[in-house]
Amino acid sequence: MTSARRPQNLYGLLARAERLAARQVREVLDESGCTVEAWRVMSLLAGGQGHRMSAIAEHALLPPPTLTRLMDQLVDDGLVHRRIDPLDRRRILAYLTPRGEDCWKRLDERVRERWTSLPGSGDDALLALLLERLVAGLEAVRESSSDEDRPAAAPLRG
């Protein structure tokens, strides 16, 4: 087995690539006072659909209490608003405001400019395909292992 195929080397490469990519994004966002976490939230909401807090937390890679504080700040800044989910009134959906949309578009343009100037950015489609396959495989493993951890259902008597 070549050293590039060892899981620890792949994991190290993924971690290093994530840190370096986040640094590039952070440098662009720092100019406007936006955090990477806020940018991740806005990137999900930029599609125009409302999203539940649980989906936003997963997308933004934040624990729920941290997301709540961030969402409160985005609301205070006039970038996000929250509404009750019409399909499930117990849940809240978040949306970008028109001001949030404008902010997102400016930030997205700057991030894209930086990204396309990086070496290897022409391989985005291939990289995205490989990462999506990796994520799907890891999620499948996680789901199957969590299924194994669940106790079997007791037989019905009667």
Side-chain angles (χ1 to χ4, degrees):
M1 179 184 283
T2 65
S3 64
R5 299 226 18 159
R6 290 187 185 145
Q8 66 271 24
N9 291 345
L10 291 174
Y11 178 77
L13 283 171
L14 285 169
R16 184 164 170 77
E18 190 279 332
R19 278 196 311 273
L20 293 170
R23 183 181 304 152
Q24 292 294 318
V25 171
R26 192 175 307 110
E27 287 175 5
V28 172
L29 298 177
D30 282 349
E31 297 167 5
S32 63
C34 183
T35 66
V36 171
E37 294 78 14
W39 178 73
R40 285 181 184 143
V41 169
M42 291 193 300
S43 71
L44 179 64
L45 300 180
Q49 296 179 338
H51 291 275
R52 293 179 176 171
M53 295 303 123
S54 58
I56 297 170
E58 185 173 322
H59 181 82
L61 308 172
L62 292 172
T66 304
L67 176 66
T68 298
R69 286 190 297 276
L70 175 58
M71 293 300 287
D72 290 345
Q73 184 62 54
L74 291 171
V75 168
D76 290 347
D77 292 344
L79 302 174
V80 170
H81 66 94
R82 295 178 253 205
R83 291 188 187 155
I84 294 174
D85 184 342
L87 301 176
D88 183 350
R89 300 195 53 79
R90 298 169 293 172
R91 304 228 186 250
I92 301 294
L93 299 178
Y95 299 84
L96 283 182
T97 63
R99 181 176 177 201
E101 286 281 346
D102 290 343
C103 178
W104 163 250
K105 287 176 186 173
R106 284 191 309 276
L107 292 173
D108 186 53
E109 184 177 322
R110 290 182 190 146
V111 169
R112 285 176 189 264
E113 286 172 4
R114 172 69 65 94
W115 187 259
T116 57
S117 71
L118 297 174
S121 66
D123 296 328
D124 287 357
L126 175 60
L127 180 59
L129 174 70
L130 294 171
L131 290 172
E132 287 168 359
R133 278 185 19 199
L134 177 62
V135 168
L138 292 170
E139 286 176 344
V141 167
R142 183 183 74 184
E143 289 172 10
S144 69
S145 67
S146 65
D147 288 345
E148 292 170 5
D149 294 340
R150 291 187 190 127
L156 295 176
R157 296 180 191 212

